[in-house]
Amino acid sequence: MSKSETKEATIRQLYTELNKYCSSADYDKALKAANKIIGLDATEWKAAKCKLVCLIQNGKFEEAIKFIERGTSIPDTTFEKAYSEYRLNRAEDAFRTIQAVAPGGGGGADQWAGLAPNLKELLAQILYRLERFDECFELYRNIIKNTHDDYDDERRTNMSAVAANQCIVGSGGKQQSAAATNLPEDTYELTYNAACALAGRREYGEAERKLRTSEKMCRDSLEEDGASEEDIIDEITIIKVQLAYCLQMQGRVKEASALYADALRHKTNDAALTAVVSNNLVVINRDQNVFDSRKKMKVATSEQADQKLTSRQRKTIAFNNCLLAYFASPSECGLLASRLANAHPDLEFQSLLVRVSQLARDKKYREAVELLEAYAQRLPAGRTTELLQVRFAIVQLQLVAGNRKAAIETLESLGEARYQPGVVSALVTLHLGLDNKQAASEILKSAVEWYKRQKSATISDSDLSDMWRQAASFHLRGGEPETAAKSLEELLRTHPNDMKLLAQLVIAYAQFDPKRAQQASKRLPALETLTTVSEIDALEATNWMMIAKAVKRKPNQPAGGGRTTGDQSPGAGTPSAEQQQQAARKQKRKKRKGKLPKNYIIGVLPDPERWLPRYERTGYRKKRDRRVKEIIKGSQGTASGQADQFDMSKAYNQTKNSPATPGSGGVTQLEQNAAAAAATRQLPRKSQHKKKKGKH
């Protein structure tokens, strides 16, 4: 057998082994067999293709790219190279790889019309990673329209995820939103994505309902497939975290914290999910539990999580890290704020506010104001809203530093923005704080004149009404009725039926133009139309102006104890007919008879001691124990004659025979002595010689 025949036989045998290893998914042995084939014949492109697939299956994406770049005999390696770059988180490189072979032009979905189906699927994933959601949505819609196989459910799920992200970032037109809304919700993934879209539109209550439905569908579906409890919890954790976010945004922080804690306790392998949970718990903690928040923020800002998060999520976590440093590490706060401004230029103003807050905390107000002034000078002319925010921040710093005059100057330098109701109110308050009523009056006058000259569409009529109302009250109190009348006239143009305003205008006119006041007063309603007889009677019947003593006085007694007049008509001090009838009814009520004892005899007075306990009655004698001998009553060393005096039984007997009858109020001398003796016995005896504690 010649060498060529032997070589061919060896290659056929190696292909047989390669097929066996690939069928059994033993990619390590398959890779060795493919290398042997390529070593024998470098033109065997099928073996090279198998080697490339084995490298990708083993996760060796860098080796796969190097193998392609060295040059192979494979006809087309676009898909393998783009996929390897995508898995290495090099989405821009993967996009350029596919774009290089795209036959279409003009941009949009038509640009990718000539691509192979596998490249379209991969491109949709790449566009999603690049957060180009509008293009991704159009591409998925094109794929679903032109492809029908077993992966239709997965494509619809991905399309709903793209639509949810469009709602979150605020992109996508009405057509995309309508198409996303029409997607069925027959799986838990589709229901979950629909809930995320509702959360992106800030409809948190409806999103919560759908998330709970998705959780139940997920458990039922996985239990039917025979999944383990661990796998079910892994899948449900994502739904619960999104549910916790909706609860947190509704202010139900305790429920959200419990769900976040369960997610962290489960220790999921999803780095992005762990980062989101950690960040949201830091937000809940705020300036409390700073040590725990720093540990969670370290997890949220890890490199592993950073690769999985979207740019919006990374931006939010970076900003929260700056705020946490403001509370936990002041020295690190300025550095993190500078990094935030460099990494995310659209957050430059927010990072500047963090640095300014740190300086204000250290009472470096001048440096903080200088930073804001420098930033205001760099702002372009069109960003008026941000410029106003900078000026208001400067005013806040000046007020904290106690410099009211500088704050007034800053507010007055706002141009036409100083006529906004909030700014006018602040200026008036500051001038009054400096006891400069004239300046406050001038500000209100100029604001009223400015709004007369031009109508601002950015301010509602209610805001202007409040400002004019306050200006009129201020000028009326300050003795400037003419200026107050101008404000009230403007108010009446928008509120012609407000009688309170008209009454104030009459008061203002009366102080400088009585004729106009008289003319304006004719528009006021008559007094009879404002009140009715029933309202007057109810007002007179109320006793809210009367003192308690006057309320409780008798019906015929005049108020204040004065004499009544001959007028019998009911007046301010006379009760009405209805009140007199009620008083007569009360007087006619019969008193209830007292309750008599059981053995009551008519004509015999009851025992006055019938309610006393037996041992307190006069004739009670205590039974004595015969075994105890008679002892002398009284203190030791006293005379025998005094023992009778302190014998309580004899005292009771003498009381019974005394002239003072029970209940007459008289007290004999013997009773007084007995009471004194009883009181003496009740007092605790104090030892004459107290034993001293301690050493003798």
Side-chain angles (χ1 to χ4, degrees):
M1 182 181 292
S2 63
K3 290 183 179 181
S4 60
E5 292 177 352
T6 305
K7 179 180 175 182
E8 290 178 1
T10 306
I11 289 174
R12 282 198 298 270
Q13 183 180 357
L14 289 173
Y15 267 120
T16 303
E17 294 178 3
L18 179 61
N19 184 40
K20 182 180 69 173
Y21 294 143
C22 289
S23 300
S24 61
D26 192 351
Y27 298 111
D28 291 331
K29 292 182 179 179
L31 182 61
K32 292 178 181 178
N35 283 331
K36 289 179 181 179
I37 296 173
I38 295 171
L40 291 173
D41 189 354
T43 60
E44 289 291 335
W45 67 270
K46 293 182 180 179
K49 186 88 169 180
C50 287
K51 177 181 178 178
L52 191 56
V53 171
C54 290
L55 290 172
I56 292 173
Q57 290 287 349
N58 288 333
K60 300 178 180 179
F61 303 110
E62 287 286 358
E63 293 184 28
I65 293 174
K66 290 179 181 178
F67 178 66
I68 293 171
E69 289 176 349
R70 283 198 301 266
T72 62
S73 57
I74 306 173
D76 185 14
T77 58
T78 303
F79 178 80
E80 289 79 6
K81 184 180 180 182
Y83 181 78
S84 299
E85 291 169 339
Y86 169 75
R87 292 297 303 273
L88 290 171
N89 294 314
R90 287 150 54 178
E92 290 286 353
D93 295 340
F95 178 76
R96 284 192 290 269
T97 300
I98 296 177
Q99 191 179 29
V101 298
D110 297 335
Q111 183 181 0
W112 321 112
L115 288 177
N118 60 346
L119 284 176
K120 283 185 180 180
E121 300 272 3
L122 177 59
L123 179 62
Q125 295 287 341
I126 293 170
L127 291 172
Y128 182 83
R129 181 69 62 84
L130 293 174
E131 300 179 25
R132 297 165 66 169
F133 300 117
D134 294 341
E135 298 176 54
C136 183
F137 187 88
E138 290 294 334
L139 184 57
Y140 265 122
R141 189 157 62 175
N142 181 269
I143 293 171
I144 291 172
K145 183 179 179 180
N146 298 318
T147 308
H148 301 284
D149 53 21
D150 296 336
Y151 297 100
D152 286 343
D153 290 340
E154 283 79 358
R155 294 187 186 98
R156 285 193 291 114
T157 301
N158 291 348
M159 184 176 178
S160 66
V162 175
N165 278 277
Q166 283 181 317
C167 294
I168 292 171
V169 300
S171 65
K174 294 182 179 180
Q175 189 176 3
Q176 285 94 333
S177 300
T181 307
N182 293 331
L183 288 173
E185 298 177 12
D186 50 358
T187 63
Y188 72 89
E189 294 100 337
L190 287 168
T191 307
Y192 171 80
N193 289 335
C196 292
L198 289 169
R201 294 196 292 266
R202 300 184 180 182
E203 299 176 20
Y204 301 112
E206 185 65 19
E208 177 191 351
R209 187 185 66 80
K210 284 188 181 293
L211 286 168
R212 295 190 187 277
T213 305
S214 174
E215 180 182 353
K216 186 178 182 303
M217 292 172 64
C218 176
R219 178 171 286 278
D220 295 342
S221 175
L222 293 179
E223 284 178 352
E224 288 179 4
D225 295 342
S228 63
E229 184 64 24
E230 188 71 19
D231 294 337
I232 293 174
I233 292 175
D234 276 339
E235 197 69 17
I236 287 178
T237 300
I238 302 172
I239 303 174
K240 285 188 173 181
V241 168
Q242 190 68 20
L243 175 62
Y245 167 74
C246 292
L247 294 173
Q248 182 179 356
M249 297 306 293
Q250 293 180 78
R252 296 154 65 181
V253 179
K254 289 186 178 180
E255 299 175 57
S257 298
L259 291 176
Y260 287 142
D262 287 342
L264 290 180
R265 197 179 300 115
H266 179 62
K267 295 182 179 179
T268 178
N269 295 325
D270 193 341
L273 186 67
T274 306
V276 169
V277 171
S278 301
N279 173 77
N280 292 357
L281 282 173
V282 170
V283 174
I284 290 175
N285 288 339
R286 295 183 180 273
D287 57 343
Q288 305 296 323
N289 301 325
V290 176
F291 181 73
D292 179 65
S293 295
R294 294 197 70 178
K295 290 196 299 183
K296 287 182 171 57
M297 187 54 69
K298 185 178 291 187
V299 174
T301 55
S302 63
E303 184 178 356
Q304 184 181 4
D306 191 70
Q307 295 176 354
K308 300 289 185 179
L309 296 169
T310 64
S311 62
R312 178 174 168 272
Q313 291 171 333
R314 287 194 297 269
K315 190 188 304 182
T316 303
I317 291 174
F319 181 66
N320 288 337
N321 193 21
C322 286
L323 293 179
L324 179 62
Y326 172 77
F327 296 109
S329 179
S331 59
E332 190 181 2
C333 181
L335 179 62
L336 289 176
S338 300
R339 289 179 181 174
L340 177 67
N342 295 331
H344 307 284
D346 55 330
L347 291 180
E348 183 182 2
F349 179 57
Q350 286 81 349
S351 64
L352 177 64
L353 288 179
V354 174
R355 293 173 60 191
V356 165
S357 301
Q358 182 60 42
L359 291 172
R361 191 177 185 179
D362 298 336
K363 297 184 179 180
K364 299 178 180 178
Y365 303 113
R366 183 178 297 178
E367 296 180 24
V369 171
E370 289 175 356
L371 275 177
L372 290 171
E373 289 285 0
Y375 179 76
Q377 292 176 0
R378 296 198 311 269
L379 282 176
R383 297 166 68 175
T384 54
T385 303
E386 195 169 347
L387 182 61
L388 280 176
Q389 293 175 349
V390 173
R391 293 298 181 193
F392 290 148
I394 292 173
V395 170
Q396 180 69 23
L397 289 170
Q398 290 168 341
L399 290 175
V400 171
N403 194 350
R404 292 185 182 179
K405 292 184 179 180
I408 291 172
E409 292 175 359
T410 304
L411 289 174
E412 288 180 344
S413 66
L414 294 178
E416 292 189 349
R418 68 192 180 100
Y419 295 117
Q420 293 185 5
V423 179
V424 172
S425 176
L427 283 170
V428 170
T429 304
L430 290 173
H431 280 301
L432 291 177
L434 295 174
D435 199 17
N436 192 351
K437 295 182 180 179
Q438 183 63 30
S441 176
E442 291 297 330
I443 287 170
L444 288 170
K445 287 180 184 178
S446 60
V448 170
E449 292 297 330
W450 187 81
Y451 281 113
K452 283 182 180 179
R453 290 194 303 269
Q454 77 182 55
K455 188 75 173 178
S456 178
T458 59
I459 301 174
S460 63
D461 292 336
S462 61
D463 293 337
L464 294 179
S465 298
D466 292 339
M467 190 189 71
W468 274 324
R469 203 181 294 268
Q470 295 297 329
S473 300
F474 179 82
H475 288 125
L476 278 175
R477 291 194 305 268
E480 299 181 75
E482 295 184 16
T483 309
K486 293 180 181 179
S487 299
L488 292 169
E489 287 170 358
E490 288 292 334
L491 275 172
L492 281 172
R493 289 178 185 174
T494 56
H495 303 81
N497 298 324
D498 194 337
M499 294 297 104
K500 185 178 179 180
L501 291 176
L502 183 58
Q504 287 181 328
L505 183 60
V506 170
I507 294 172
Y509 282 156
Q511 298 182 36
F512 68 93
D513 195 345
K515 291 183 179 180
R516 294 180 67 182
Q518 189 174 5
Q519 292 176 358
S521 64
K522 293 178 181 178
R523 294 166 53 191
L524 290 171
L527 184 62
E528 291 77 10
T529 61
L530 297 177
T531 57
T532 60
V533 178
S534 59
E535 292 176 350
I536 296 174
D537 292 341
L539 184 62
E540 290 180 349
T542 55
N543 53 14
W544 57 276
M545 288 292 290
M546 302 171 68
I547 60 175
K549 186 176 181 181
V551 172
K552 293 180 180 179
R553 71 180 187 274
K554 295 180 180 180
N556 295 330
Q557 180 181 353
R563 297 181 180 179
T564 57
T565 61
D567 186 10
Q568 298 300 322
S569 61
T574 308
S576 62
E578 186 179 353
Q579 291 176 344
Q580 290 177 357
Q581 291 176 3
Q582 291 177 358
R585 288 172 193 165
K586 290 181 181 179
Q587 289 179 356
K588 289 180 181 179
R589 290 179 184 174
K590 295 182 180 179
K591 293 185 178 180
R592 185 190 296 177
K593 293 183 179 180
K595 193 173 183 180
L596 298 174
K598 292 181 180 179
N599 302 325
Y600 175 68
I601 301 173
I602 301 174
V604 179
L605 293 174
D607 185 7
E609 295 183 354
R610 65 187 184 279
W611 302 117
L612 294 176
R614 184 175 295 178
Y615 65 88
E616 290 184 5
R617 297 183 185 180
T618 307
Y620 174 73
R621 286 187 179 184
K622 185 177 180 182
K623 293 182 180 180
R624 296 179 181 177
D625 193 352
R626 295 179 180 178
R627 294 173 296 178
V628 180
K629 295 182 179 180
E630 293 290 333
I631 59 174
I632 298 174
K633 307 288 184 180
S635 304
Q636 294 182 1
T638 57
S640 59
Q642 292 181 352
D644 295 336
Q645 179 182 354
F646 294 104
D647 190 351
M648 298 305 295
S649 61
K650 294 181 179 180
Y652 281 118
N653 293 332
Q654 293 177 7
T655 305
K656 189 173 182 181
N657 300 326
S658 63
T661 58
S664 63
V667 181
T668 62
Q669 185 65 31
L670 186 60
E671 287 176 328
Q672 293 177 356
N673 295 338
T680 305
R681 288 177 183 175
Q682 290 173 358
L683 291 173
R685 293 193 178 190
K686 297 181 180 179
S687 59
Q688 297 295 330
H689 303 284
K690 291 185 179 179
K691 199 171 184 181
K692 294 183 179 179
K693 294 182 180 180
K695 296 181 179 180
H696 294 286

